[in-house]
Each structure stands twice: as structure tokens, then as C-alpha cells.
């Protein structure tokens, strides 16, 4: 009978293989519809909300990107200046003078969610596009998202979010990550399981937003909460794989950690808020909530096992080296190398290879339309090093969340 | 219509589950088959070695009644001990890699019994013929332990003994035996030679070492 650790490894491998199979099957069954964008059955009016806090470096570029959109019924672009302390207000006032579509709502700092809620109150459009002040929506983005609202049940539509500047290793890793997320999120869309409409570009039906009371100002990730609220109230969330928006990703580990901790804490807050929906009908209860929660547990537990095994191995090497030196014998021998593969090693290698193949496929699929390419080394580094950082952030986030030590 | 479409797409969860179970079962079956193959290979080596041991028993009996030099017996025993030693090393590697079955553990116990019989044969041979000066180096270790310190000490000991064997060659018979395998005859020998802890190295059934020694220190004790 295998020991406990072996059974745990086998359990992890089963789950990993399951999700790999799930995504592969969804792709195979829906590959012809990946780039489908329904033609809008009417000309929806769109109000664009751009929440901004200290975005002097990017806000002008964001507004100009929105203005370049080929969607002809943008009725207004409302910049929500959230009490910026830099030159953001000065810049947006100039934009307001220059472009008739641009309006500025200057307000005291109260957070992104509250800013958006104030924008919803004054927006005139039937649809609201939320665009982060450091994101550049593609010229075709809005026009390829609007058609999904032909279905009266659609509450929100999301899009591909890609990294704009890839000038260091961390940003390159995030670029890969965002592309894989875009690919898997589209696949989740086919089973009604999109769990977030990220801030860089998301389109909402105003009536749906108003029905759910807008965005939750107490949540660190108002985009996740709004999406789950829409799903809870029976709305559908779709994704346009044709549309894209590029965003600035953190360029230092410290900024990256801060962003991920915020995302994770927002995730915990949202899970707790909707915990009563576990295993209730609808994909929120049957898939999204369990999926999120199991990922948390598995990620934390897996990290614990990895740390335990690593330290045990290091300690074992230290001891055997110490005793070998004491006995004046070789510290390492060729004989000690065991080339007989065990089942776990074999399954692990197979899973790793399958995972790499999936990543390469996802990247190739996404890159096909944007003419980009990642090096083999980048993908390997992503698979072996970057991915290991995530459980560490998970644990740190959990600690902060439990202590209540977080704020925007 | 969209809702119907979505509902039909959700069968994919079950499809993925069955696919995963299928791949997993194939993997497990292959794993068990691989471990069984290795066990069969080790068993085959074991049966061959067992036969060789009986042959050395028989030779010992024959040479007791004649004036033939014990060189032949020493050579026979030394070669046998080396063969069994390397087979057991290979078995240990299979054992480390085995995660689903206990077949390697069972064969390991059989080898420990075989090596105990070898030790007994050497003791009898030396008692029957005092002129037969074969150095026996018996290494008793704990097989089934998770204690990292104990494992590290035992690893160091096995390296020291390998060094000793490589310098002394056929002058010594190296017999490593796991002392926690419930082999009654071994338990008796442990009691007879008053061995109180593991790991322990017993040289010529006279000197017992518990603390780590260098191969040079062990050489000084050999006959």
C-alpha cells in the first residue's frame, strides 16, 4: 500500500491531469468558435468610464487609444479622477478641453469601486466600458465585444488582457501568464464559468450593473466581486477573444507581490461573501466557488509539502556530508545515483511535459493573431520558477487576510 | 437556445473525469507492471544466489573432511558475498523507486536471510578449520527507518566499508545485513555477540564498532 505522501502526490497529479483534460476537451469541442464575434443586432450606446488615481504617465495614452476605437456609438468618456496627488487632473482637464467626448468627474479619494459607482450614476450609455487608466484598448476591441449583448441575459463581456511593455524578465513572465489566462478564460466561457471581468477592459450592461448595486467598495478586487454578483443574479458573462487591451504590468518583484496579494485578498473576500452559494445551482456554486477554494487549499498545502520535502532533503545531504567527512570517505559516489524511474517521477515528468505542451499551444494560439513569440527558455523559466512564486504569494496573502492587514 | 447550448457543453466535466481516470489507471497499471518486472528480475538473481550458497555449504562440508587448503572455500565465499552484495545494491535502488508494491521489501528480507546463512557458514567454517583466516566484516543496519540522522550515519558507514573492500579485496568478506527484518537466526547471532545497537560493524566476530570509523582504523583491526 503506497504511503501517505505518495497518495497525496497521486491526488495532486489526478487533479492536474483532470484540468488539463478539461481544458483540452473544451478547446477541441469549441475550437471553431474561439474567434466568433456576434454581429450586434443594434447600435448600443457605450459610456466609457476611466477611473484614475495618480496616472499622469499613462492617462493621455489611454484616452487617445479609446478615441481611436472603431466603434461608432461611444457617447462619452468619463474620467473619474479619484483625488490624484500628481498631475493627472491637469492632464485630464486638458483632454476634456481638447475632445468633446471626454468629461472629467473630479472627486475626493474614495477608491476605484466607489469612483465607478459614481460614474455609473451619471453615465448615459446602455453599456458601460470600464478601462483602467494604464490600459490601451485595441481599436477593434469595443466593436468585437458589443455583439455578445445580443443575448439579453449577458451582463458583462471581457476580453484578452496582454502586457504592453516586456522590458524585463518579470514582465516577460507576466506576458506569458496573461496570454495563458486569456486562452483558458475563453475556454471557461464555453462552460459559463468566466470568473472575472478584469479592469483593463470590461463591458457591462448598465441595467445589470444597477441591479447588482454597482461595484463593492469594500472589496479589494471589485471586478471579481461584480462578476460573481452578476453570475449570482443569473446574468451571463462572455469573452471576446478577438478584442484585446494592453496593460502595464508590475516591473519589480515588490510591486508584483503587492498586486498579487491584493488580487488574492480580493478573492478571499469574494469567496467569503458568496460562501452560501457553494454547490448551489449555477456555475458560480458548482464550479467557480469550488475551483477557487480548492486552488487555495491545494496551493497552500502543496507549498507546505514542497518546503517540507526540500528542507528534509537539504538536511539529509548536510548530515550525510558531515558524517562522510568525519569518516574520511567520499561525499558522493556514482553508485549513489539511482537512475531507476519511480512511478511518481514518471507521472510527474509526463504531466510536466503535457503542461509545457499546453502552454506552448496556448501561446501559439494567442500569438498567432498578434504576431508575437516567446522563447523556449522563457516558457521553461515560467513553468519551473515563476509558477512556484504563486503559492508563496498565496500563503502571504492568507496571512495578511487573517490578520486583517490589508488596504488598497 | 444559448442556455441549451451551454447545458450540453457541460458534459465536458464528466468527459474530462473519465479521460483522467482512464489515463491514471493506465499509468498505475504500468507502474505496478514495472515494479513487478523489477521484482521478478531480483527474484531470479536471488534464486541463482541461493543455489550458489547451497553449493558453498556443500563445499564446506567436503573440505572439512579433507586436507584441501581452505583457499578454495575462501575464494568461493568471497565471490559469493560480492555477488550478493551487488545484487542487494541493485535491489535497494529498485526499492527506492518502488511506490506501489512491497515486492522489493519482501525480496530484501530474503536476501537478509541469505546473508545471515552466509555469515553462519563462515563462522562454522572458521570454527572447523582454525587455519582458515578469512576476515569477516559484518555490517548490521536498520532498514526501515525515517530517522535522517540514522540514515546519514548508515550511508557513511556503507561508504567506509566500500572503501575497505576496494583496498582489501578478497582478504575480507563483507556481509551487510538489515537487523530489523525479523530473521530469528540473525536475532540469535545479535544476542550471541552482544550487539546492542544499530548500525554496528562486527569484525571477525570479536570486535564491534558502533561509532563511525575510517577505513584505515578498520584495517588495523583485521587479522
Amino acid at each position: 500500500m503506497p504511503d501517505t505522501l505518495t497518495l497525496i502526490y497521486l491526488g495532486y497529479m489526478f487533479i492536474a491531469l483532470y484540468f488539463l483534460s478539461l481544458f483540452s476537451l473544451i478547446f477541441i469541442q469549441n475550437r471553431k468558435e474561439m474567434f466568433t464575434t456576434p454581429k450586434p443586432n443594434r447600435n448600443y450606446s457605450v459610456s466609457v468610464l476611466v477611473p484614475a488615481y495618480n496616472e499622469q504617465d499613462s492617462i493621455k495614452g489611454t484616452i487617445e487609444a479609446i478615441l481611436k476605437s472603431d466603434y461608432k456609438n461611444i457617447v462619452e468618456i468619463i474620467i473619474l479622477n479619484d483625488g490624484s496627488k500628481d498631475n493627472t487632473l491637469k492632464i485630464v482637464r486638458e483632454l476634456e478641453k481638447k475632445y468633446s467626448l471626454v468629461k472629467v468627474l473630479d472627486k475626493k479619494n474614495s477608491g476605484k469601486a466607489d469612483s465607478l459607482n459614481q460614474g455609473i450614476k451619471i453615465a448615459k450609455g446602455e453599456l458601460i466600458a470600464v478601462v483602467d487608466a494604464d490600459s490601451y484598448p485595441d481599436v477593434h476591441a469595443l466593436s468585437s465585444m458589443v455583439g455578445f449583448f445580443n443575448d439579453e441575459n449577458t451582463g458583462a463581456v471581457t476580453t484578452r488582457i496582454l502586457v504592453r511593455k516586456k522590458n524585463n524578465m518579470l514582465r516577460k513572465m507576466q506576458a506569458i501568464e496573461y496570454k495563458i489566462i486569456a486562452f483558458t478564460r475563453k475556454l471557461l466561457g464555453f462552460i459559463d464559468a468566466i470568473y472575472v471581468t478584469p479592469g483593463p477592459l470590461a463591458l457591462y450592461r448598465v441595467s445589470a450593473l444597477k441591479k447588482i448595486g454597482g461595484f463593492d467598495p469594500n472589496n479589494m478586487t471589485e471586478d471579481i466581486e461584480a462578476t460573481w454578483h452578476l453570475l449570482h443574479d443569473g446574468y451571463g458573462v462572455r469573452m471576446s477573444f478577438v478584442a484585446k487591451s494592453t496593460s502595464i504590468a508590475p516591473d519589480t518583484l515588490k510591486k508584483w507581490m503587492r498586486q498579487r496579494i491584493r488580487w488574492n485578498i480580493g478573492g478571499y473576500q469574494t469567496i467569503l461573501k458568496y460562501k452560501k452559494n457553494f454547490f448551489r445551482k449555477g456555475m458560480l456554486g458548482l464550479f467557480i466557488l469550488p475551483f477557487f477554494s480548492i486552488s487555495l487549499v491545494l496551493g497552500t498545502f502543496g507549498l507546505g509539502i514542497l518546503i517540507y520535502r526540500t528542507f528534509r532533503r537539504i538536511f539529509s545531504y548536510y548530515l550525510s556530508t558531515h558524517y562522510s567527512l568525519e569518516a574520511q570517505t567520499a561525499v558522493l559516489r556514482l553508485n549513489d545515483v539511482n537512475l531507476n524511474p519511480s512511478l511518481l517521477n514518471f507521472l510527474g515528468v509526463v504531466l510536466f511535459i503535457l503542461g509545457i505542451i499546453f502552454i506552448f499551444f496556448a501561446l501559439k494560439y494567442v500569438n498567432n493573431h498578434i504576431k508575437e513569440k516567446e522563447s523556449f527558455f522563457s516558457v521553461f523559466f515560467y513553468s519551473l520558477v515563476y509558477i512556484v512564486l504563486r503559492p508563496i504569494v498565496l500563503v502571504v496573502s492568507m496571512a495578511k487576510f487573517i490578520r486583517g492587514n490589508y488596504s488598497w | 437556445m444559448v442556455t441549451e447550448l451551454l447545458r450540453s457543453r457541460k458534459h465536458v466535466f464528466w468527459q474530462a473525469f473519465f479521460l483522467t481516470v482512464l489515463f491514471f489507471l493506465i499509468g498505475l497499471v504500468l507502474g505496478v507492471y514495472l515494479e513487478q518486472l523489477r521484482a521478478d528480475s531480483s527474484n531470479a538473481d536471488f534464486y541463482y544466489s541461493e543455489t550458489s550458497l547451497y553449493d558453498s555449504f556443500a563445499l564446506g562440508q567436503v573440505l572439512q573432511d579433507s586436507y584441501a587448503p581452505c583457499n578454495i572455500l575462501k575464494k568461493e565465499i568471497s565471490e559469493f558475498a560480492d555477488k550478493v552484495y551487488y545484487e542487494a545494491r541493485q535491489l535497494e535502488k529498485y526499492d527506492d523507486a518502488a511506490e506501489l508494491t512491497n515486492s522489493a521489501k519482501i525480496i530484501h528480507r530474503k536476501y537478509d536471510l541469505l546473508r545471515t546463512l552466509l555469515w553462519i557458514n563462515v563462522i562454522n567454517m572458521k570454527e572447523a578449520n582454525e587455519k582458515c583466516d578469512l576476515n569477516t566484516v559484518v555490517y548490521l543496519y536498520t532498514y526501515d527507518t525515517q530517522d535522517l540522522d540514522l540514515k546519514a550515519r548508515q550511508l557513511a558507514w556503507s561508504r567506509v566499508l566500500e572503501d575497505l573492500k576496494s583496498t582489501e579485496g578478497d582478504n575480507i568478506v563483507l556481509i551487510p545485513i538489515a537487523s530489523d527484518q525479523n530473521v530469528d537466526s540473525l536475532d540469535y547471532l545479535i544476542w550471541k555477540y552482544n550487539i546492542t545497537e544499530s548500525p554496528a560493524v562486527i569484525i571477525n566476530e570479536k570486535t564491534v564498532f558502533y561509532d563511525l570509523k575510517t577505513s584505515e582504523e578498520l584495517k588495523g583491526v583485521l587479522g
Side-chain angles (χ1 to χ4, degrees), chain A residues 349-363:
Chain A
V349 167
V350 166
L351 261 177
F352 181 74
I353 291 171
L354 288 176
I356 292 271
I357 292 171
F358 182 84
I359 289 172
F360 267 114
F361 183 80
L363 289 173

Side-chain angles (χ1 to χ4, degrees), chain B residues 7-25:
Chain B
R7 201 175 288 136
S8 68
R9 281 175 171 158
K10 285 165 195 171
H11 291 311
V12 73
F13 286 104
W14 286 112
Q15 291 163 0
F17 178 73
F18 288 125
L19 196 63
T20 307
V21 166
L22 180 68
F23 279 135
F24 225 67
L25 284 176

Side-chain angles (χ1 to χ4, degrees), chain A residues 248-309:
Chain A
I248 299 283
D251 59 345
T252 64
L253 209 54
K254 191 175 171 189
K255 287 181 196 168
W256 180 86
M257 284 277 290
R258 207 169 338 131
Q259 180 195 59
R260 297 308 167 106
I261 288 170
R262 180 176 67 78
W263 287 1
N264 285 332
I265 290 176
Y268 306 148
Q269 287 176 311
T270 317
I271 288 174
L272 280 181
K273 187 173 178 182
Y274 291 94
K275 63 182 182 295
K276 286 184 183 157
N277 291 278
F278 258 98
F279 306 119
R280 295 248 170 106
K281 66 170 180 138
M283 289 306 278
L284 177 64
L286 291 174
F287 180 78
I288 294 172
L289 269 163
F291 174 68
F292 255 69
S293 309
I294 289 170
S295 310
L296 283 175
V297 170
L298 290 182
T300 314
F301 193 54
L303 181 68
I305 292 179
L306 183 67
I307 291 172
Y308 167 73
R309 295 272 296 183

Side-chain angles (χ1 to χ4, degrees), chain A residues 2 10 18 29-30 33 190 287 312 323-324 327 329-331 333 335-338 340-344, chain B residues 6 9 13 15-17 20 24 27 38 89 93-94 96-97 99-100 146 149 152-153 159-160 162-163 214:
Chain A
L10 287 172
Y18 175 76
Q29 293 170 9
N30 299 285
E33 292 174 56
F190 290 116
F287 180 78
R312 199 178 151 85
Y323 286 126
S324 295
T329 182
V331 165
R333 281 173 203 261
N335 266 347
D336 295 337
V337 176
N338 187 358
N340 290 294
S342 71
L343 172 69
L344 289 187
Chain B
L6 284 170
R9 281 175 171 158
F13 286 104
Q15 291 163 0
F17 178 73
T20 307
F24 225 67
R38 288 177 190 156
R89 280 297 302 247
K93 289 185 178 178
Y94 288 164
D96 283 345
E99 268 129 4
L100 298 177
Q146 296 300 318
D149 186 69
R153 277 190 296 127
R159 285 172 179 163
V160 166
E162 268 188 48
D163 291 342
T214 65

Side-chain angles (χ1 to χ4, degrees), chain A residues 149-350:
Chain A
F149 287 95
N150 290 348
D151 179 2
E152 290 298 320
N153 200 48
T154 299
V157 177
T158 181
T159 174
R160 284 184 294 167
I161 310 299
L162 305 172
V163 171
R164 186 153 72 246
K165 282 185 200 166
K166 294 180 277 269
N167 53 354
N168 65 17
M169 197 56 174
L170 183 61
R171 279 183 167 161
K172 283 180 187 167
M173 294 298 103
Q174 291 172 86
I176 293 175
E177 186 185 21
Y178 281 30
K179 285 174 186 173
I180 294 167
I181 287 173
F183 184 72
T184 51
R185 191 170 293 150
K186 179 62 183 175
L187 296 180
L188 287 176
F190 290 116
I191 53 170
D192 207 15
I194 292 176
Y195 56 86
V196 63
T197 48
L201 175 60
L203 195 55
Y204 301 91
R205 195 186 293 277
V206 169
S207 56
L209 269 184
K210 284 182 175 168
K211 188 172 174 237
I212 66 170
F215 296 92
D216 182 353
N218 296 317
N219 197 295
M220 297 278 276
T221 50
E222 74 294 325
D223 45 7
I224 297 179
E225 196 283 329
T227 309
W228 289 26
H229 203 158
L230 286 168
L231 291 169
H232 176 270
D233 283 15
Y235 288 101
V237 178
R238 305 281 169 259
M239 178 173 172
S240 166
F241 205 59
V242 171
K244 66 178 188 285
S245 180
T246 57
S247 189
I248 299 283
D251 59 345
T252 64
L253 209 54
K254 191 175 171 189
K255 287 181 196 168
W256 180 86
M257 284 277 290
R258 207 169 338 131
Q259 180 195 59
R260 297 308 167 106
I261 288 170
R262 180 176 67 78
W263 287 1
N264 285 332
I265 290 176
Y268 306 148
Q269 287 176 311
T270 317
I271 288 174
L272 280 181
K273 187 173 178 182
Y274 291 94
K275 63 182 182 295
K276 286 184 183 157
N277 291 278
F278 258 98
F279 306 119
R280 295 248 170 106
K281 66 170 180 138
M283 289 306 278
L284 177 64
L286 291 174
F287 180 78
I288 294 172
L289 269 163
F291 174 68
F292 255 69
S293 309
I294 289 170
S295 310
L296 283 175
V297 170
L298 290 182
T300 314
F301 193 54
L303 181 68
I305 292 179
L306 183 67
I307 291 172
Y308 167 73
R309 295 272 296 183
T310 306
F311 274 108
R312 199 178 151 85
R313 190 154 283 236
I314 291 171
F315 188 54
S316 176
Y317 282 143
Y318 162 73
L319 283 173
S320 59
T321 304
H322 166 73
Y323 286 126
S324 295
L325 289 172
E326 187 185 306
Q328 295 174 31
T329 182
V331 165
L332 185 67
R333 281 173 203 261
L334 211 56
N335 266 347
D336 295 337
V337 176
N338 187 358
L339 295 175
N340 290 294
S342 71
L343 172 69
L344 289 187
N345 288 346
F346 177 70
L347 276 181
V349 167
V350 166

